[in-house]
Every structure is written in structure tokens, then in C-alpha cells.
Amino acid sequence: MPFAQIHILEGRTEAQKKAVIEKVTQALVEALDAPVANVRVWIQEVPKENWGIAGVSAKELGR
């Protein structure tokens, strides 16, 4: 069973996350010849203050 774990900064819309799930699922089906029913995708949203870029939080950078 293919399992994809995606980490993204918080703030994406439900439609954007739905699109990620659909596209990642399709990519795994095509690349691994896996049945679509067996593919799992987990999106984990990370708070901006918990994501560091070059020593500064994404929140401080205005991301």
C-alpha cells in the first residue's frame, strides 16, 4: 500500500489540498502500478512559527 506524507505550511485552501491528494494519488498509481484504492495520502500542516528557513521562522518571514 503506497503511503505519501506531505508536509506543508498552514494556510492552503481545502481546494488546494484536495488537488494535492488527487495528483499525488494519480502519480503513485502511474509510477507504481498500484490500485488507486490502495493509495494513502496524508497532508500534515505545520504552523508557520514551527517552520524555519535560514534560521528564521516562516511566520517572521511573512510566508
Side-chain angles (χ1 to χ4, degrees):
M1 170 181 0
F3 178 85
Q5 183 175 354
I6 314 291
H7 295 268
I8 60 174
L9 287 174
E10 64 186 352
R12 289 352 191 269
T13 67
E14 187 174 335
Q16 288 173 317
K17 291 182 278 187
K18 182 177 188 287
V20 168
I21 291 169
E22 291 171 353
K23 291 173 187 275
V24 169
T25 297
Q26 189 57 38
L28 289 170
V29 166
E30 291 174 11
L32 303 176
D33 196 29
V36 70
N38 289 355
V39 176
R40 305 294 187 264
V41 178
W42 175 29
I43 296 176
Q44 183 172 9
E45 293 184 282
V46 179
K48 293 178 181 184
E49 62 270 12
N50 292 352
W51 191 293
I53 303 166
V56 182
S57 75
K59 183 176 183 178
E60 290 175 283
L61 292 172
R63 302 255 173 128

Short mmCIF file of all heavy atoms in Angstrom, two decimals:
data_model
loop_
_atom_site.label_atom_id
_atom_site.label_comp_id
_atom_site.label_asym_id
_atom_site.label_seq_id
_atom_site.Cartn_x
_atom_site.Cartn_y
_atom_site.Cartn_z
N MET A 1 0.85 -1.17 0.00
CA MET A 1 0.00 0.00 0.00
C MET A 1 0.90 1.24 0.00
O MET A 1 1.56 1.52 0.99
CB MET A 1 -0.90 -0.02 1.24
CG MET A 1 -1.63 1.26 1.44
SD MET A 1 -2.72 1.42 2.89
CE MET A 1 -2.62 -0.08 3.77
N PRO A 2 0.93 2.00 -1.08
CA PRO A 2 1.71 3.24 -1.12
C PRO A 2 1.13 4.28 -0.16
O PRO A 2 -0.08 4.46 -0.09
CB PRO A 2 1.59 3.71 -2.56
CG PRO A 2 1.18 2.51 -3.33
CD PRO A 2 0.37 1.68 -2.40
N PHE A 3 2.03 4.93 0.56
CA PHE A 3 1.63 5.95 1.52
C PHE A 3 2.52 7.17 1.31
O PHE A 3 3.74 7.07 1.41
CB PHE A 3 1.82 5.41 2.95
CG PHE A 3 1.48 6.40 4.03
CD1 PHE A 3 0.19 6.55 4.47
CD2 PHE A 3 2.46 7.17 4.61
CE1 PHE A 3 -0.13 7.46 5.47
CE2 PHE A 3 2.18 8.08 5.61
CZ PHE A 3 0.86 8.22 6.04
N ALA A 4 1.91 8.31 1.00
CA ALA A 4 2.66 9.56 0.80
C ALA A 4 2.35 10.50 1.96
O ALA A 4 1.19 10.71 2.30
CB ALA A 4 2.27 10.21 -0.52
N GLN A 5 3.40 11.06 2.53
CA GLN A 5 3.25 12.02 3.62
C GLN A 5 3.77 13.36 3.11
O GLN A 5 4.93 13.47 2.72
CB GLN A 5 4.04 11.55 4.83
CG GLN A 5 3.89 12.43 6.03
CD GLN A 5 4.60 11.84 7.25
OE1 GLN A 5 5.13 10.74 7.24
NE2 GLN A 5 4.63 12.61 8.31
N ILE A 6 2.92 14.37 3.13
CA ILE A 6 3.24 15.70 2.62
C ILE A 6 3.22 16.69 3.78
O ILE A 6 2.23 16.80 4.50
CB ILE A 6 2.21 16.15 1.55
CG1 ILE A 6 1.90 15.07 0.53
CG2 ILE A 6 2.61 17.47 0.93
CD1 ILE A 6 3.01 14.73 -0.40
N HIS A 7 4.31 17.42 3.95
CA HIS A 7 4.37 18.47 4.98
C HIS A 7 4.30 19.82 4.26
O HIS A 7 5.10 20.09 3.36
CB HIS A 7 5.69 18.40 5.75
CG HIS A 7 5.84 17.15 6.54
ND1 HIS A 7 5.44 17.05 7.85
CD2 HIS A 7 6.34 15.94 6.22
CE1 HIS A 7 5.70 15.84 8.30
NE2 HIS A 7 6.25 15.14 7.31
N ILE A 8 3.34 20.65 4.66
CA ILE A 8 3.20 21.98 4.07
C ILE A 8 2.93 23.00 5.17
O ILE A 8 2.46 22.65 6.26
CB ILE A 8 2.06 22.04 3.02
CG1 ILE A 8 0.72 21.68 3.63
CG2 ILE A 8 2.38 21.17 1.82
CD1 ILE A 8 -0.47 21.86 2.71
N LEU A 9 3.24 24.24 4.87
CA LEU A 9 2.89 25.31 5.80
C LEU A 9 1.37 25.47 5.83
O LEU A 9 0.69 25.29 4.82
CB LEU A 9 3.51 26.63 5.36
CG LEU A 9 5.01 26.77 5.57
CD1 LEU A 9 5.51 28.07 4.95
CD2 LEU A 9 5.36 26.71 7.05
N GLU A 10 0.86 25.81 6.99
CA GLU A 10 -0.57 26.05 7.14
C GLU A 10 -1.01 27.18 6.21
O GLU A 10 -0.20 27.99 5.76
CB GLU A 10 -0.88 26.43 8.58
CG GLU A 10 -0.24 27.74 9.01
CD GLU A 10 -0.41 28.05 10.48
OE1 GLU A 10 -1.16 27.34 11.18
OE2 GLU A 10 0.23 29.01 10.93
N GLY A 11 -2.31 27.19 5.90
CA GLY A 11 -2.87 28.30 5.14
C GLY A 11 -3.36 27.95 3.75
O GLY A 11 -3.91 28.81 3.07
N ARG A 12 -3.16 26.71 3.29
CA ARG A 12 -3.67 26.32 1.97
C ARG A 12 -5.18 26.11 2.06
O ARG A 12 -5.71 25.77 3.12
CB ARG A 12 -3.04 25.03 1.49
CG ARG A 12 -1.58 24.98 1.06
CD ARG A 12 -0.87 26.29 0.99
NE ARG A 12 0.43 26.23 0.35
CZ ARG A 12 1.57 26.02 0.98
NH1 ARG A 12 1.59 25.80 2.28
NH2 ARG A 12 2.72 26.01 0.32
N THR A 13 -5.86 26.32 0.95
CA THR A 13 -7.31 26.14 0.93
C THR A 13 -7.65 24.65 0.86
O THR A 13 -6.81 23.81 0.51
CB THR A 13 -7.94 26.84 -0.27
OG1 THR A 13 -7.51 26.16 -1.46
CG2 THR A 13 -7.59 28.31 -0.32
N GLU A 14 -8.87 24.35 1.18
CA GLU A 14 -9.35 22.97 1.07
C GLU A 14 -9.24 22.49 -0.38
O GLU A 14 -8.86 21.34 -0.62
CB GLU A 14 -10.80 22.88 1.55
CG GLU A 14 -11.32 21.46 1.63
CD GLU A 14 -12.71 21.37 2.25
OE1 GLU A 14 -13.08 22.26 3.03
OE2 GLU A 14 -13.40 20.38 1.94
N ALA A 15 -9.53 23.37 -1.33
CA ALA A 15 -9.43 23.01 -2.75
C ALA A 15 -7.99 22.68 -3.14
O ALA A 15 -7.74 21.75 -3.91
CB ALA A 15 -9.97 24.14 -3.62
N GLN A 16 -7.03 23.44 -2.63
CA GLN A 16 -5.62 23.17 -2.92
C GLN A 16 -5.19 21.82 -2.35
O GLN A 16 -4.50 21.04 -3.02
CB GLN A 16 -4.74 24.29 -2.37
CG GLN A 16 -4.85 25.59 -3.12
CD GLN A 16 -4.10 26.71 -2.43
OE1 GLN A 16 -4.16 26.86 -1.20
NE2 GLN A 16 -3.40 27.52 -3.22
N LYS A 17 -5.60 21.53 -1.13
CA LYS A 17 -5.23 20.26 -0.52
C LYS A 17 -5.90 19.09 -1.24
O LYS A 17 -5.28 18.04 -1.44
CB LYS A 17 -5.58 20.27 0.97
CG LYS A 17 -4.68 21.23 1.75
CD LYS A 17 -4.98 21.22 3.23
CE LYS A 17 -6.14 22.10 3.56
NZ LYS A 17 -6.38 22.26 5.00
N LYS A 18 -7.13 19.29 -1.68
CA LYS A 18 -7.82 18.26 -2.45
C LYS A 18 -7.06 17.97 -3.75
O LYS A 18 -6.87 16.81 -4.13
CB LYS A 18 -9.25 18.72 -2.77
CG LYS A 18 -10.09 17.71 -3.52
CD LYS A 18 -11.52 18.26 -3.70
CE LYS A 18 -12.46 17.24 -4.28
NZ LYS A 18 -12.29 16.94 -5.67
N ALA A 19 -6.59 19.02 -4.40
CA ALA A 19 -5.83 18.86 -5.65
C ALA A 19 -4.53 18.10 -5.39
O ALA A 19 -4.13 17.24 -6.19
CB ALA A 19 -5.54 20.22 -6.27
N VAL A 20 -3.84 18.39 -4.28
CA VAL A 20 -2.61 17.68 -3.94
C VAL A 20 -2.91 16.19 -3.75
O VAL A 20 -2.21 15.33 -4.28
CB VAL A 20 -1.96 18.27 -2.67
CG1 VAL A 20 -0.87 17.35 -2.14
CG2 VAL A 20 -1.42 19.65 -2.95
N ILE A 21 -3.95 15.88 -3.01
CA ILE A 21 -4.31 14.48 -2.77
C ILE A 21 -4.59 13.77 -4.08
O ILE A 21 -4.11 12.65 -4.32
CB ILE A 21 -5.51 14.40 -1.81
CG1 ILE A 21 -5.09 14.84 -0.40
CG2 ILE A 21 -6.09 12.98 -1.78
CD1 ILE A 21 -6.24 15.05 0.56
N GLU A 22 -5.36 14.39 -4.96
CA GLU A 22 -5.70 13.77 -6.24
C GLU A 22 -4.47 13.56 -7.10
O GLU A 22 -4.26 12.48 -7.67
CB GLU A 22 -6.71 14.64 -6.99
CG GLU A 22 -8.08 14.66 -6.35
CD GLU A 22 -9.03 15.68 -6.97
OE1 GLU A 22 -8.59 16.49 -7.83
OE2 GLU A 22 -10.21 15.69 -6.57
N LYS A 23 -3.60 14.56 -7.20
CA LYS A 23 -2.44 14.48 -8.09
C LYS A 23 -1.37 13.52 -7.55
O LYS A 23 -0.75 12.78 -8.32
CB LYS A 23 -1.86 15.87 -8.34
CG LYS A 23 -2.80 16.72 -9.21
CD LYS A 23 -2.31 18.15 -9.32
CE LYS A 23 -3.32 19.02 -10.02
NZ LYS A 23 -3.21 19.00 -11.46
N VAL A 24 -1.15 13.53 -6.25
CA VAL A 24 -0.18 12.61 -5.67
C VAL A 24 -0.69 11.17 -5.82
O VAL A 24 0.08 10.26 -6.16
CB VAL A 24 0.12 12.96 -4.20
CG1 VAL A 24 0.91 11.86 -3.50
CG2 VAL A 24 0.86 14.29 -4.11
N THR A 25 -1.96 10.97 -5.58
CA THR A 25 -2.55 9.64 -5.77
C THR A 25 -2.34 9.17 -7.19
O THR A 25 -1.87 8.04 -7.42
CB THR A 25 -4.05 9.65 -5.43
OG1 THR A 25 -4.20 9.98 -4.04
CG2 THR A 25 -4.70 8.31 -5.72
N GLN A 26 -2.65 10.01 -8.16
CA GLN A 26 -2.50 9.62 -9.56
C GLN A 26 -1.05 9.33 -9.91
O GLN A 26 -0.76 8.37 -10.63
CB GLN A 26 -3.07 10.70 -10.48
CG GLN A 26 -3.15 10.28 -11.93
CD GLN A 26 -3.99 9.02 -12.13
OE1 GLN A 26 -5.02 8.83 -11.48
NE2 GLN A 26 -3.55 8.15 -13.01
N ALA A 27 -0.14 10.11 -9.38
CA ALA A 27 1.29 9.89 -9.65
C ALA A 27 1.74 8.53 -9.11
O ALA A 27 2.49 7.80 -9.78
CB ALA A 27 2.13 11.00 -9.04
N LEU A 28 1.28 8.17 -7.93
CA LEU A 28 1.66 6.87 -7.36
C LEU A 28 1.02 5.72 -8.11
O LEU A 28 1.65 4.68 -8.32
CB LEU A 28 1.28 6.82 -5.87
CG LEU A 28 2.14 7.70 -4.96
CD1 LEU A 28 1.55 7.77 -3.56
CD2 LEU A 28 3.57 7.21 -4.92
N VAL A 29 -0.20 5.89 -8.55
CA VAL A 29 -0.87 4.86 -9.36
C VAL A 29 -0.07 4.62 -10.63
O VAL A 29 0.22 3.48 -11.00
CB VAL A 29 -2.33 5.27 -9.68
CG1 VAL A 29 -2.92 4.40 -10.77
CG2 VAL A 29 -3.19 5.20 -8.42
N GLU A 30 0.32 5.71 -11.30
CA GLU A 30 1.05 5.59 -12.57
C GLU A 30 2.47 5.06 -12.37
O GLU A 30 2.92 4.18 -13.10
CB GLU A 30 1.10 6.94 -13.27
CG GLU A 30 -0.26 7.39 -13.78
CD GLU A 30 -0.25 8.79 -14.35
OE1 GLU A 30 0.85 9.36 -14.56
OE2 GLU A 30 -1.35 9.33 -14.58
N ALA A 31 3.18 5.57 -11.37
CA ALA A 31 4.58 5.21 -11.17
C ALA A 31 4.75 3.79 -10.63
O ALA A 31 5.70 3.09 -10.97
CB ALA A 31 5.26 6.20 -10.24
N LEU A 32 3.82 3.36 -9.78
CA LEU A 32 3.97 2.07 -9.10
C LEU A 32 3.00 1.01 -9.59
O LEU A 32 3.03 -0.12 -9.11
CB LEU A 32 3.79 2.26 -7.59
CG LEU A 32 4.73 3.24 -6.91
CD1 LEU A 32 4.37 3.39 -5.44
CD2 LEU A 32 6.17 2.80 -7.08
N ASP A 33 2.13 1.40 -10.51
CA ASP A 33 1.08 0.49 -10.99
C ASP A 33 0.26 -0.05 -9.81
O ASP A 33 -0.10 -1.22 -9.75
CB ASP A 33 1.69 -0.66 -11.80
CG ASP A 33 0.64 -1.38 -12.63
OD1 ASP A 33 -0.36 -0.75 -13.04
OD2 ASP A 33 0.83 -2.60 -12.88
N ALA A 34 0.01 0.84 -8.87
CA ALA A 34 -0.74 0.47 -7.67
C ALA A 34 -2.23 0.72 -7.89
O ALA A 34 -2.60 1.69 -8.56
CB ALA A 34 -0.27 1.31 -6.48
N PRO A 35 -3.07 -0.11 -7.33
CA PRO A 35 -4.51 0.16 -7.40
C PRO A 35 -4.84 1.47 -6.66
O PRO A 35 -4.33 1.69 -5.55
CB PRO A 35 -5.15 -1.03 -6.70
CG PRO A 35 -4.10 -2.09 -6.66
CD PRO A 35 -2.79 -1.36 -6.64
N VAL A 36 -5.65 2.29 -7.26
CA VAL A 36 -5.99 3.59 -6.65
C VAL A 36 -6.56 3.41 -5.25
O VAL A 36 -6.30 4.23 -4.36
CB VAL A 36 -6.93 4.41 -7.57
CG1 VAL A 36 -8.31 3.80 -7.64
CG2 VAL A 36 -6.98 5.86 -7.13
N ALA A 37 -7.29 2.35 -5.03
CA ALA A 37 -7.91 2.12 -3.72
C ALA A 37 -6.88 1.84 -2.63
O ALA A 37 -7.20 1.94 -1.44
CB ALA A 37 -8.90 0.96 -3.81
N ASN A 38 -5.66 1.52 -3.01
CA ASN A 38 -4.62 1.20 -2.03
C ASN A 38 -3.74 2.40 -1.67
O ASN A 38 -2.91 2.30 -0.77
CB ASN A 38 -3.72 0.08 -2.55
CG ASN A 38 -4.43 -1.25 -2.58
OD1 ASN A 38 -5.55 -1.38 -2.12
ND2 ASN A 38 -3.76 -2.25 -3.12
N VAL A 39 -3.89 3.51 -2.36
CA VAL A 39 -3.03 4.67 -2.15
C VAL A 39 -3.56 5.51 -0.98
O VAL A 39 -4.76 5.79 -0.90
CB VAL A 39 -2.93 5.52 -3.43
CG1 VAL A 39 -2.12 6.79 -3.18
CG2 VAL A 39 -2.34 4.71 -4.57
N ARG A 40 -2.65 5.92 -0.12
CA ARG A 40 -2.98 6.80 1.01
C ARG A 40 -2.12 8.04 0.92
O ARG A 40 -0.92 7.96 0.64
CB ARG A 40 -2.71 6.11 2.35
CG ARG A 40 -3.40 4.76 2.53
CD ARG A 40 -4.92 4.92 2.60
NE ARG A 40 -5.57 3.67 2.94
CZ ARG A 40 -6.08 2.81 2.06
NH1 ARG A 40 -5.97 3.06 0.76
NH2 ARG A 40 -6.69 1.72 2.45
N VAL A 41 -2.73 9.20 1.18
CA VAL A 41 -2.01 10.47 1.19
C VAL A 41 -2.36 11.19 2.49
O VAL A 41 -3.53 11.33 2.83
CB VAL A 41 -2.38 11.36 -0.02
CG1 VAL A 41 -1.65 12.69 0.05
CG2 VAL A 41 -2.08 10.64 -1.32
N TRP A 42 -1.32 11.63 3.19
CA TRP A 42 -1.51 12.35 4.45
C TRP A 42 -0.86 13.71 4.31
O TRP A 42 0.34 13.82 4.05
CB TRP A 42 -0.89 11.59 5.60
CG TRP A 42 -0.92 12.31 6.92
CD1 TRP A 42 -1.84 13.22 7.35
CD2 TRP A 42 0.02 12.17 7.98
NE1 TRP A 42 -1.53 13.66 8.61
CE2 TRP A 42 -0.39 13.02 9.03
CE3 TRP A 42 1.17 11.41 8.14
CZ2 TRP A 42 0.31 13.13 10.22
CZ3 TRP A 42 1.85 11.53 9.34
CH2 TRP A 42 1.42 12.38 10.36
N ILE A 43 -1.66 14.76 4.47
CA ILE A 43 -1.13 16.12 4.46
C ILE A 43 -1.03 16.59 5.91
O ILE A 43 -2.03 16.60 6.62
CB ILE A 43 -2.03 17.08 3.65
CG1 ILE A 43 -2.05 16.67 2.18
CG2 ILE A 43 -1.55 18.52 3.81
CD1 ILE A 43 -3.00 17.49 1.33
N GLN A 44 0.16 16.96 6.30
CA GLN A 44 0.36 17.50 7.64
C GLN A 44 0.70 18.98 7.50
O GLN A 44 1.70 19.34 6.89
CB GLN A 44 1.48 16.77 8.36
CG GLN A 44 1.66 17.25 9.77
CD GLN A 44 2.65 16.40 10.55
OE1 GLN A 44 3.34 15.55 10.00
NE2 GLN A 44 2.73 16.64 11.84
N GLU A 45 -0.17 19.81 8.05
CA GLU A 45 0.06 21.25 8.01
C GLU A 45 0.89 21.68 9.23
O GLU A 45 0.57 21.31 10.35
CB GLU A 45 -1.26 22.00 8.00
CG GLU A 45 -2.05 21.79 6.73
CD GLU A 45 -3.30 22.62 6.71
OE1 GLU A 45 -4.27 22.22 7.37
OE2 GLU A 45 -3.30 23.66 6.04
N VAL A 46 1.94 22.42 8.96
CA VAL A 46 2.84 22.85 10.01
C VAL A 46 2.59 24.34 10.27
O VAL A 46 2.56 25.14 9.33
CB VAL A 46 4.31 22.63 9.56
CG1 VAL A 46 5.27 23.11 10.63
CG2 VAL A 46 4.54 21.17 9.21
N PRO A 47 2.43 24.72 11.54
CA PRO A 47 2.28 26.13 11.85
C PRO A 47 3.51 26.92 11.38
O PRO A 47 4.64 26.43 11.49
CB PRO A 47 2.16 26.16 13.38
CG PRO A 47 1.69 24.79 13.75
CD PRO A 47 2.31 23.87 12.73
N LYS A 48 3.29 28.10 10.87
CA LYS A 48 4.39 28.90 10.30
C LYS A 48 5.47 29.22 11.32
O LYS A 48 6.64 29.33 10.96
CB LYS A 48 3.83 30.19 9.68
CG LYS A 48 2.97 29.90 8.47
CD LYS A 48 2.37 31.16 7.89
CE LYS A 48 1.51 30.79 6.69
NZ LYS A 48 0.98 31.96 6.02
N GLU A 49 5.09 29.32 12.59
CA GLU A 49 6.11 29.60 13.60
C GLU A 49 6.96 28.37 13.91
O GLU A 49 8.00 28.47 14.56
CB GLU A 49 5.49 30.16 14.89
CG GLU A 49 4.52 29.22 15.58
CD GLU A 49 3.07 29.37 15.13
OE1 GLU A 49 2.80 30.05 14.12
OE2 GLU A 49 2.20 28.80 15.81
N ASN A 50 6.56 27.21 13.42
CA ASN A 50 7.31 25.96 13.64
C ASN A 50 8.14 25.55 12.43
O ASN A 50 8.72 24.48 12.43
CB ASN A 50 6.35 24.82 13.99
CG ASN A 50 5.68 25.01 15.33
OD1 ASN A 50 6.02 25.91 16.09
ND2 ASN A 50 4.73 24.17 15.63
N TRP A 51 8.20 26.37 11.39
CA TRP A 51 8.93 26.05 10.17
C TRP A 51 10.05 27.06 10.01
O TRP A 51 9.80 28.26 9.86
CB TRP A 51 7.98 26.13 8.98
CG TRP A 51 8.51 25.57 7.70
CD1 TRP A 51 9.53 26.08 6.94
CD2 TRP A 51 8.05 24.43 7.00
NE1 TRP A 51 9.72 25.32 5.82
CE2 TRP A 51 8.81 24.29 5.83
CE3 TRP A 51 7.04 23.51 7.25
CZ2 TRP A 51 8.62 23.28 4.91
CZ3 TRP A 51 6.84 22.49 6.33
CH2 TRP A 51 7.63 22.39 5.18
N GLY A 52 11.29 26.61 10.05
CA GLY A 52 12.42 27.52 9.96
C GLY A 52 13.04 27.55 8.58
O GLY A 52 13.17 26.52 7.93
N ILE A 53 13.41 28.74 8.14
CA ILE A 53 14.09 28.95 6.86
C ILE A 53 15.29 29.86 7.13
O ILE A 53 15.11 31.00 7.55
CB ILE A 53 13.15 29.61 5.83
CG1 ILE A 53 11.89 28.75 5.63
CG2 ILE A 53 13.87 29.84 4.51
CD1 ILE A 53 10.76 29.46 4.91
N ALA A 54 16.47 29.33 6.94
CA ALA A 54 17.70 30.11 7.15
C ALA A 54 17.76 30.73 8.54
O ALA A 54 18.17 31.88 8.70
CB ALA A 54 17.84 31.18 6.06
N GLY A 55 17.31 29.98 9.53
CA GLY A 55 17.41 30.44 10.91
C GLY A 55 16.29 31.33 11.39
O GLY A 55 16.34 31.86 12.50
N VAL A 56 15.27 31.53 10.55
CA VAL A 56 14.15 32.40 10.90
C VAL A 56 12.85 31.64 10.63
O VAL A 56 12.78 30.87 9.67
CB VAL A 56 14.20 33.70 10.06
CG1 VAL A 56 13.08 34.65 10.44
CG2 VAL A 56 15.54 34.38 10.20
N SER A 57 11.83 31.87 11.44
CA SER A 57 10.57 31.18 11.21
C SER A 57 9.87 31.74 9.97
O SER A 57 10.05 32.90 9.60
CB SER A 57 9.63 31.32 12.43
OG SER A 57 9.07 32.61 12.49
N ALA A 58 9.09 30.88 9.34
CA ALA A 58 8.33 31.31 8.16
C ALA A 58 7.36 32.43 8.53
O ALA A 58 7.11 33.33 7.71
CB ALA A 58 7.57 30.12 7.57
N LYS A 59 6.86 32.41 9.74
CA LYS A 59 5.95 33.47 10.20
C LYS A 59 6.69 34.82 10.21
O LYS A 59 6.17 35.82 9.72
CB LYS A 59 5.40 33.16 11.57
CG LYS A 59 4.41 34.17 12.09
CD LYS A 59 3.83 33.74 13.41
CE LYS A 59 2.78 34.74 13.88
NZ LYS A 59 2.16 34.32 15.15
N GLU A 60 7.91 34.84 10.75
CA GLU A 60 8.70 36.07 10.80
C GLU A 60 9.04 36.57 9.38
O GLU A 60 9.16 37.76 9.16
CB GLU A 60 9.99 35.86 11.57
CG GLU A 60 9.79 35.66 13.06
CD GLU A 60 11.09 35.35 13.75
OE1 GLU A 60 11.56 34.18 13.63
OE2 GLU A 60 11.64 36.26 14.39
N LEU A 61 9.18 35.62 8.45
CA LEU A 61 9.50 35.98 7.08
C LEU A 61 8.27 36.42 6.28
O LEU A 61 8.37 36.85 5.14
CB LEU A 61 10.16 34.80 6.37
CG LEU A 61 11.56 34.44 6.87
CD1 LEU A 61 12.01 33.14 6.22
CD2 LEU A 61 12.54 35.56 6.57
N GLY A 62 7.10 36.28 6.90
CA GLY A 62 5.87 36.68 6.21
C GLY A 62 5.42 35.68 5.15
O GLY A 62 4.75 36.05 4.20
N ARG A 63 5.79 34.44 5.31
CA ARG A 63 5.41 33.41 4.33
C ARG A 63 4.03 32.88 4.56
O ARG A 63 3.43 32.97 5.52
CB ARG A 63 6.41 32.25 4.36
CG ARG A 63 7.82 32.69 4.09
CD ARG A 63 8.22 32.31 2.70
NE ARG A 63 9.52 32.87 2.38
CZ ARG A 63 10.54 32.16 1.90
NH1 ARG A 63 10.43 30.90 1.70
NH2 ARG A 63 11.65 32.76 1.58
#
